[in-house]
Amino acid sequence: MAKNNVATPAADKLVYDPQYILMVRDLKKYFDIKGGMMNRVVGHVKAVDGVTFNLKRGTTMGLVGESGCGKTTTGRTILRLSGDKTAGDVLFNGQEVYDFSHEELRHLRTKMQIIFQDPFSSLSPRLPIGEIIGEAVREHGLVPKAEFDDYIDEVMDQCGLQPFQKERYPHEFSGGQRQRICIARALALNPEFVVCDEPVSALDVSIQAQIINLLNELQEQHDLTYLFISHDLSVVEHISDTVGVMYLGNLVEYGEKKDIFANPLHPYTEALFSAIPIPDPDAKMNRIVLEGSIPSPANPPEGCKFHTRCSKCMECCKHVAPVQKEIEPGHFVVCHLFDDVPAVSHDDAVEPLVKVEKTAEDATAADA
């Protein structure tokens, strides 16, 4: 049986735009399902199934969606932490991440970092935090040996940790302090891009605010770019510049924060935003309750993946998968409800989300 879980080159080459630190086009990541006597591949879990977005330098993109929709896998696939991609392009500073050799990828690790969701499980219980923060710094030789201790002290201070705590172990810290350790570990390598995988989901509200403010301060000081994965829409609204909404491996809506929150277009986005609590006991919430549960990514529905739960489902939604369409400048949606709405003309709008140039093979075929 042919194996489909391999990277396949796109027909057209993605054109790099220097204003973006990260450009992702039609990214897919499938995981094999094996079974039978011969342990053969019998199917695939389509964890990420065609994600496209661009991320400008020094900005934050919020990525939201239900549990199991592929947010974390998207972040890990961008960082090349989940093996080979199945298809698509991931350009970091104009270079395809999956074209790097082992040695080149090792150097890239200092520029792309991740803050994990659970700080306790991502910190080694056998190492003091000074060693945890400085281990990668020493491995990559980022600072001279004589300056190592002072450098770690400086990084800890920036993240709200005291230098005298270097000899303590992770279990001796609170949840908020452990998350600061994770942030310090990522920041110590002087990265350009950081995936924040639900960094405040396990913290209480007051500690959440401290961590969010810390991330904002570090972004201003070091010109960092964040991909911020979260379930908390209020936090995403506070920290993000752009927002992407995922459902069952697909990015169903993407745009500037103000456009997404002021005018959500996709029915799934509307349902998510209707669940945001209003801090007013007299305000009436028009909650949109979705029927049923999210389908399995191993056996997604035909057509639009959301049609089994959508109150606005049409006949075409059950058989034809919608394509991404720009409804407003910089505001993209994947929904049949907007099939008849004219797309934005790029003569007077922002740059298109994806620019491609034909490959030599395509040019030859066209000439023929």
Side-chain angles (χ1 to χ4, degrees):
M1 181 176 181
K3 186 176 180 180
N4 296 323
N5 193 16
V6 294
T8 55
D12 303 320
K13 183 180 178 181
L14 182 60
V15 178
Y16 172 59
D17 188 337
Q19 68 174 315
Y20 299 114
I21 189 173
L22 183 70
M23 300 181 71
V24 178
R25 180 183 67 161
D26 199 26
L27 180 62
K28 298 182 180 181
K29 176 60 181 179
Y30 298 170
F31 294 96
D32 293 340
I33 301 174
K34 295 185 178 181
M37 292 288 292
M38 304 300 293
N39 198 31
R40 292 180 175 177
V41 177
V42 296
H44 296 94
V45 175
K46 299 179 179 179
V48 180
D49 195 20
V51 169
T52 299
F53 66 86
N54 297 330
L55 185 53
K56 289 185 177 181
R57 299 177 187 279
T59 65
T60 300
M61 174 180 169
L63 195 59
V64 301
E66 292 174 287
S67 295
C69 70
K71 304 184 300 296
T72 295
T73 305
T74 297
R76 293 178 65 89
T77 304
I78 289 171
L79 296 181
R80 201 170 157 179
L81 294 177
S82 298
D84 290 333
K85 64 183 179 181
T86 301
D89 300 295
V90 182
L91 266 59
F92 179 74
N93 285 329
Q95 296 179 291
E96 171 57 60
V97 172
Y98 284 82
D99 287 344
F100 285 112
S101 65
H102 176 76
E103 187 62 27
E104 291 171 332
L105 183 61
R106 183 176 180 275
H107 291 297
L108 181 68
R109 291 299 182 206
T110 63
K111 301 302 179 186
M112 303 172 73
Q113 282 291 301
I114 183 171
I115 301 170
F116 294 99
Q117 178 177 356
D118 183 2
F120 192 72
S121 63
S122 64
L123 298 174
S124 173
R126 298 177 180 271
L127 295 177
I129 69 160
E131 183 62 25
I132 290 174
I133 296 171
E135 185 178 22
V137 176
R138 184 185 296 111
E139 177 68 22
H140 289 277
L142 297 184
V143 296
K145 188 175 181 179
E147 302 174 12
F148 179 81
D149 287 338
D150 290 338
Y151 179 76
I152 299 304
D153 290 348
E154 180 184 351
V155 172
M156 291 180 64
D157 184 64
Q158 289 179 353
C159 296
L161 298 167
Q162 299 300 318
F164 69 83
Q165 298 173 321
K166 281 194 299 186
E167 301 304 319
R168 296 183 180 178
Y169 290 81
H171 72 272
E172 300 180 72
F173 293 89
S174 66
Q177 288 175 317
R178 284 197 288 264
Q179 197 59 277
R180 289 175 183 271
I181 296 169
C182 292
I183 294 172
R185 178 175 58 181
L187 183 67
L189 294 177
N190 193 26
E192 299 177 18
F193 170 62
V194 181
V195 174
C196 304
D197 186 10
E198 302 192 43
V200 297
S201 62
L203 308 176
D204 61 57
V205 176
S206 61
I207 303 301
Q208 281 186 13
Q210 294 177 19
I211 298 300
I212 293 301
N213 290 335
L214 173 61
L215 290 172
N216 283 330
E217 291 172 5
L218 294 174
Q219 185 174 44
E220 293 177 1
Q221 293 172 12
H222 301 278
D223 195 29
L224 296 171
T225 304
Y226 295 141
L227 176 61
F228 192 90
I229 299 169
S230 179
H231 288 286
D232 193 329
L233 295 170
S234 299
V235 171
V236 169
E237 185 178 14
H238 176 71
I239 196 173
S240 301
D241 299 293
T242 57
V243 177
V245 181
M246 286 194 69
Y247 182 81
L248 207 62
N250 293 115
L251 197 66
V252 297
E253 190 165 354
Y254 166 75
E256 297 291 328
K257 174 184 68 177
K258 57 181 177 59
D259 296 330
I260 296 288
F261 278 86
N263 183 30
L265 299 177
H266 197 281
Y268 179 64
T269 309
E270 293 177 342
L272 281 183
F273 287 4
S274 72
I276 300 177
I278 301 175
D280 183 353
D282 297 323
K284 184 178 180 181
M285 293 181 60
N286 296 317
R287 178 73 187 274
I288 301 174
V289 180
L290 297 177
E291 300 293 334
S293 58
I294 186 170
S296 169
N299 186 28
E302 183 184 359
C304 174
K305 294 180 180 180
F306 186 62
H307 84 261
T308 58
R309 306 174 70 191
C310 182
S311 61
K312 301 177 182 179
C313 176
M314 302 178 291
E315 189 62 30
C316 63
C317 302
K318 301 177 182 179
H319 307 288
V320 181
V323 297
Q324 191 178 68
K325 190 173 185 179
E326 188 176 10
I327 304 302
E328 302 171 342
H331 192 169
F332 300 83
V333 67
V334 180
C335 183
H336 284 301
L337 293 173
F338 301 92
D339 284 350
D340 296 331
V341 178
V344 170
S345 171
H346 285 287
D347 294 336
D348 55 0
V350 296
E351 291 295 312
L353 188 58
V354 173
K355 286 183 179 180
V356 296
E357 63 181 15
K358 296 295 182 181
T359 60
E361 292 80 359
D362 294 330
T364 301
D367 292 340

